[in-house]
Amino acid sequence: MQKRDLYNHEKIFTEWKKQLTKDYIEADLTKENSKVYVQYFLDLEQGKNISKQAKKGARSINHLNRLRSKIKAVMINFQNKKINSITKVNEKQVMDFFTEWNKIHSSDYVKRFKAFWGWWMTKNRREGKIVLDVTQDLSTNSDKGKIESNFVWLNKEEFDKFRSYFDEDKQVILLFCFDSIIRSPTELLSLKVENIFEKNKEVWVDIPNSIAKTFGRKFNLVYSGELILKYIEKHNKKAE
């Protein structure tokens, strides 16, 4: 079973690769930045010149597409500061840049840039060249950690009031999401009927590793079990 490509990440990445030639220049990037930008993502896709720790995490196409936009945004903003080749940046420039950047952006950009620079150091080391780690003192701690959490939660009673505004089928799906804590839309729309089963007079859902965003898991459906079975029967949904 494979996770459905709901946002056409595969197509987007494939179309991007089709454009690549020896003279290709990424839109809005300098020639120097474009060259290293393209090489970075081709290497990531192939698992080359990255640390052992980075290799442990799957480099999915949707991950690469999101990462491309973040690395490109950083490169463009360095260019706006007259740094037209990201590989020539020094430690002070990096520290000054991210001190300002982190005031309005997620610390995830720092993590992605540190990973990019780690790749650049590894690539050069394997070619017999030494590149200094200009990201060593960058902090990846979230700047939002000092802010009181704004997490919103609903108890079952409040949730039932909320879902009462929807039609019968959507109410079942919403209750199933609440009950299984399944991620929507990717996991939910990749799930198959065969992943829902009865065991010891209880209804369970098995979210397999192949479609899970993080890791597979199983849940006993406390609220939605019988309703989801009736939903499957009503719409004549087959196991696959």
Side-chain angles (χ1 to χ4, degrees):
M1 182 187 299
Q2 291 185 341
K3 188 185 298 183
R4 289 175 61 187
D5 188 11
L6 302 175
Y7 301 110
N8 293 318
H9 285 297
E10 190 81 39
K11 180 181 178 181
I12 292 169
F13 195 78
T14 300
E15 291 298 320
W16 176 73
K17 284 178 63 179
K18 285 180 180 178
Q19 304 175 63
L20 305 182
T21 66
K22 65 178 182 178
D23 298 319
Y24 174 81
I25 297 179
E26 179 75 14
D28 301 319
L29 294 184
T30 62
K31 182 177 180 179
E32 295 86 353
N33 279 340
S34 183
K35 181 179 179 180
V36 72
Y37 175 87
V38 169
Q39 190 60 60
Y40 178 50
F41 288 102
L42 293 180
D43 277 8
L44 275 189
E45 183 192 21
Q46 299 167 21
K48 295 169 57 179
N49 295 319
I50 55 178
S51 67
K52 291 181 180 179
Q53 183 177 4
K55 285 184 179 180
K56 291 179 182 178
R59 289 289 175 248
S60 64
I61 296 300
N62 60 334
H63 170 86
L64 292 180
N65 277 336
R66 290 194 299 270
L67 186 55
R68 281 199 304 131
S69 66
K70 290 190 174 183
I71 293 298
K72 186 173 181 177
V74 171
M75 286 184 170
I76 289 173
N77 278 275
F78 267 115
Q79 288 175 185
N80 292 339
K81 295 181 179 296
K82 309 301 181 185
I83 301 170
N84 292 323
S85 177
I86 196 69
T87 61
K88 301 294 193 297
V89 72
N90 62 44
E91 187 171 6
K92 184 180 186 306
Q93 290 169 328
V94 168
M95 293 298 296
D96 289 346
F97 175 85
F98 280 106
T99 296
E100 291 300 314
W101 182 267
N102 286 345
K103 291 178 181 178
I104 55 174
H105 294 89
S106 163
S107 62
D108 189 57
Y109 284 88
V110 175
K111 296 176 184 176
R112 304 312 174 193
F113 186 75
K114 284 175 75 75
F116 163 77
W117 199 261
W119 163 83
W120 180 241
M121 291 192 299
T122 300
K123 174 179 170 60
N124 277 272
R125 188 182 72 247
R126 290 175 179 172
E127 295 173 0
K129 306 170 189 174
I130 300 299
V131 172
L132 295 177
D133 185 1
V134 298
T135 70
Q136 187 172 359
D137 292 329
L138 281 180
S139 172
T140 57
N141 292 331
S142 174
D143 53 338
K144 296 180 180 180
K146 299 177 183 178
I147 303 174
E148 185 178 351
S149 173
N150 290 319
F151 178 72
V152 177
W153 59 276
L154 296 172
N155 60 32
K156 178 63 166 54
E157 182 179 332
E158 292 168 332
F159 180 75
D160 284 338
K161 291 179 182 178
F162 162 76
R163 70 186 183 95
S164 67
Y165 290 95
F166 296 84
D167 65 39
E168 183 178 349
D169 280 351
K170 288 188 175 66
Q171 285 196 44
V172 174
I173 294 170
L174 286 169
L175 186 60
F176 174 73
C177 290
F178 180 86
D179 204 2
S180 63
I181 326 177
I182 194 169
R183 290 178 172 87
S184 178
T186 49
E187 292 181 349
L188 178 65
L189 294 181
S190 299
L191 198 68
K192 295 184 179 181
V193 169
E194 63 189 19
N195 299 123
I196 298 170
F197 59 93
E198 293 185 84
K199 178 182 178 182
N200 298 328
K201 298 183 179 180
E202 295 176 333
V203 183
W204 289 71
V205 59
D206 178 9
I207 304 170
N209 282 319
S210 55
I211 70 169
K213 185 175 180 181
T214 50
F215 50 84
R217 54 223 187 266
K218 293 181 181 180
F219 288 101
N220 175 13
L221 298 175
V222 178
Y223 303 114
S224 64
E226 292 302 321
L227 289 173
I228 203 69
L229 292 179
K230 290 179 181 178
Y231 176 91
I232 291 167
E233 182 180 5
K234 173 184 174 181
H235 293 280
N236 194 30
K237 291 188 174 293
K238 307 302 181 184
E240 72 282 1

